[in-house]
Amino acid sequence: MKKDYLKGACLARSLETQASDSAGFRYSLNKFIRNLDESKSAYDDIEVDDPGVRCPFVASMVKWAHLANYRLIDYLEKISRGECDEVLTLNFAKFCNKDHWLSGRIGSDMMAYSDKPLKEYLIFGAADQTSMDLYRSYESNVTELAENLKKVKSTFNQPELYENLMQQMGEQYAEHDVAYEYEQMKDHYVEPSLNDYLKMQVKACVEFLKSGMLNDILSISNEDAEEVDEEKLHKMLDPDYTKPDNLKKLWAKLKKFIVLRGDVMLVLRHDLNMVKLSPELAKQLEVSDGTNVFGIVKSLTALLQQNWMKDFRTDAKYNASWVEQFVKALLASEYRQMLLDIWQDADKRLTLKGNIIGCLKMAGVVGGSDLGIAGAISSGSERDIKTFATYIGKGKRQQFCDWICRYSQT
């Protein structure tokens, strides 16, 4: 009990100190509201049924909820002027529900203690108010808090409000130690390997995760978390580097946006954003829904135009121009939807690439051994190369293989 109470008391004091900052409310709303929620949980865990402990605790929470509302009103006023000073990454489903704040023991406790005025519990300035007056004040403040958070949530359909802020954050992040270490790395290595860059990418991503931006957004399943190769991530980071305890869970959330591969880090749905920026891209793809196919077309085209293709192609006619036409035709064929469905699963993309190369080998476009081709393409471990060679070998079994063979003969 003592540990729980002390934890709540420390949170209470921390919140009060931050909230009392008169120089423009510089404290983080994210941290404030999360700590307020954690204080409520700490209250529910106090085992001693002592109004001298519980009533002052609730009185402090009333003050913090009131200050949070004051800060939220300021936040909303800035948004109305097209300004934003913080991106709220809260669990809105929970915090916008006033029943969450009113659940637990607070209501029943305050009713049970209402026979005495609050001043008897050393709550000064309370006059003859009772614990029920305190509860009504708490109820009013957390109800307003929930409503204010709903208003904030409604601004999420105006992404332009956050653009400048994210740009500023990006500029600040560019000055981070990761950027400095990248410059140092370029000095230390005569020619950095691709794996060196991958390690820097992983570290940059972990630094982002440590910022807490993804803590309370998205939901993942146990399966999502289990698919994360945490051991591999640890190997790519320095032994003395401080990693978040919940790295596996956070990386599973990150995979909703980006995916780490042996030779590249892809931004998921980057295709959709790019077509929005340049609608002409959709026309260039010669299909009606370029937003769905831009990513796969760009990735496959880049793969088949790499240097390995020149070494393994059977005829010089299979040049960059031929590759572009081939990929576009493949994505306009009857197998288009099947390929798009496979591509939607980021974990199957590498398999699909190998399968398509296997089909091109079956069609006589490329020659050589599966392992030789895989080794020329992949810069990963021996195991990764053998795995990719297996994907190439299975290409001839794919439904679209006959189509690729026919196309290559025209």
Side-chain angles (χ1 to χ4, degrees):
M1 182 284 298
K2 185 176 181 181
K3 180 179 179 182
D4 289 335
Y5 173 68
L6 287 176
K7 179 182 178 184
C10 288
L11 280 168
R13 183 58 184 161
S14 173
L15 289 172
E16 189 167 8
T17 301
Q18 294 175 56
S20 299
D21 178 6
S22 60
F25 294 97
R26 290 190 293 264
Y27 61 90
S28 164
L29 261 174
N30 284 295
K31 184 176 180 181
F32 193 92
I33 294 175
R34 289 194 192 104
N35 284 359
L36 184 61
D37 179 57
E38 198 170 338
S39 293
K40 177 186 172 298
S41 298
Y43 176 91
D44 289 336
D45 291 337
I46 297 174
E47 297 177 0
V48 175
D49 187 11
D50 183 350
V53 172
R54 292 182 176 275
C55 288
F57 201 108
V58 175
S60 295
M61 291 179 67
V62 170
K63 178 179 178 181
W64 307 326
H66 172 73
L67 289 168
N69 281 321
Y70 194 88
R71 175 65 176 89
L72 279 167
I73 291 172
D74 176 66
Y75 184 86
L76 287 165
E77 286 179 352
K78 287 183 177 179
I79 286 180
S80 70
R81 300 195 299 267
E83 303 171 9
C84 181
D85 57 9
E86 183 178 1
V87 177
L88 296 189
T89 57
L90 300 167
N91 186 336
F92 282 87
K94 178 168 72 172
F95 297 148
C96 288
N97 182 1
K98 71 172 184 178
D99 291 337
H100 162 71
W101 299 105
L102 298 175
S103 63
R105 299 183 53 176
I106 294 179
S108 58
D109 283 351
M110 296 303 100
M111 181 177 293
Y113 306 146
S114 62
D115 58 327
K116 293 182 180 180
L118 291 175
K119 60 184 177 182
E120 292 197 18
Y121 304 131
L122 301 180
I123 300 180
F124 301 106
D128 294 325
Q129 293 179 331
T130 69
S131 58
M132 281 307 295
D133 295 312
L134 182 61
Y135 177 73
R136 281 189 283 270
S137 181
Y138 173 77
E139 181 181 33
S140 174
N141 275 282
V142 296
T143 298
E144 183 181 357
L145 177 68
E147 291 303 313
N148 282 330
L149 286 173
K150 287 179 183 177
K151 293 176 183 177
V152 171
K153 185 180 179 182
S154 70
T155 68
F156 290 172
N157 61 357
Q158 306 174 57
E160 64 277 3
L161 292 173
Y162 302 92
E163 255 182 71
N164 291 337
L165 174 64
M166 296 306 293
Q167 181 65 32
Q168 293 170 12
M169 291 174 66
E171 292 171 358
Q172 294 172 7
Y173 190 70
E175 300 173 0
H176 196 276
D177 289 344
V178 171
Y180 171 75
E181 290 177 20
Y182 169 71
E183 295 299 327
Q184 289 288 98
M185 184 190 73
K186 289 197 297 184
D187 292 337
H188 293 163
Y189 291 91
V190 176
E191 186 176 352
S193 69
L194 190 55
N195 195 48
D196 294 324
Y197 288 113
L198 285 172
K199 288 177 182 177
M200 290 298 293
Q201 283 186 329
V202 170
K203 185 173 182 180
C205 288
V206 175
E207 285 292 327
F208 167 73
L209 294 176
K210 287 166 66 175
S211 73
M213 289 288 285
L214 297 185
N215 283 358
D216 292 318
I217 63 172
L218 301 178
S219 60
I220 59 168
S221 64
N222 291 330
E223 183 181 11
D224 292 331
E226 288 304 315
E227 287 180 353
V228 174
D229 189 345
E230 189 173 15
E231 183 178 353
K232 181 178 180 180
L233 293 176
H234 282 229
K235 287 180 179 178
M236 298 184 78
L237 296 168
D238 295 337
D240 298 329
Y241 180 74
T242 303
K243 298 171 281 290
D245 294 333
N246 57 343
L247 177 59
K248 195 168 187 174
K249 177 180 177 181
L250 289 175
W251 196 273
K253 291 186 176 185
L254 188 66
K255 285 180 66 177
K256 301 288 185 180
F257 300 97
I258 66 173
V259 59
L260 184 65
R261 284 289 175 259
D263 57 351
V264 71
M265 184 172 284
L266 300 175
V267 180
L268 299 185
R269 301 206 69 182
H270 183 65
D271 51 342
L272 176 62
N273 295 327
M274 289 300 293
V275 172
K276 281 185 176 180
L277 291 173
S278 178
E280 291 299 314
L281 288 173
K283 297 178 182 177
Q284 294 175 16
L285 294 174
E286 300 177 355
V287 291
S288 59
D289 54 350
T291 55
N292 289 327
V293 302
F294 177 68
I296 184 173
V297 168
K298 185 174 182 294
S299 184
L300 289 178
T301 301
L303 172 68
L304 298 177
Q305 288 180 342
Q306 291 175 5
N307 288 334
W308 72 268
M309 184 67 168
K310 293 180 181 178
D311 296 332
F312 287 88
R313 66 188 180 185
T314 59
D315 194 301
K317 69 179 181 181
Y318 301 122
N319 54 23
S321 178
W322 183 91
V323 166
E324 288 182 6
Q325 296 304 316
F326 162 69
V327 175
K328 289 180 182 179
L330 178 60
L331 267 296
S333 72
E334 65 265 34
Y335 297 102
R336 173 179 155 281
Q337 191 57 52
M338 182 182 74
L339 294 169
L340 288 175
D341 290 341
I342 296 173
W343 193 258
Q344 289 302 310
D345 186 340
D347 292 326
K348 294 180 179 179
R349 292 181 182 178
L350 196 63
T351 304
L352 179 60
K353 290 179 180 180
N355 292 163
I356 290 174
I357 292 173
C359 294
L360 289 172
K361 182 181 175 183
M362 186 75 177
V365 175
V366 296
S369 69
D370 296 344
L371 196 58
I373 295 172
I377 295 173
S378 176
S379 60
S381 65
E382 182 179 351
R383 180 181 177 182
D384 291 337
I385 293 172
K386 288 182 178 178
T387 299
F388 192 60
T390 302
Y391 298 155
I392 294 174
K394 293 181 178 179
K396 58 188 175 184
R397 305 179 192 172
Q398 308 308 311
Q399 296 181 37
F400 47 80
C401 194
D402 287 342
W403 184 95
I404 292 178
C405 288
R406 291 195 302 271
Y407 179 89
S408 302
Q409 294 168 7
T410 59

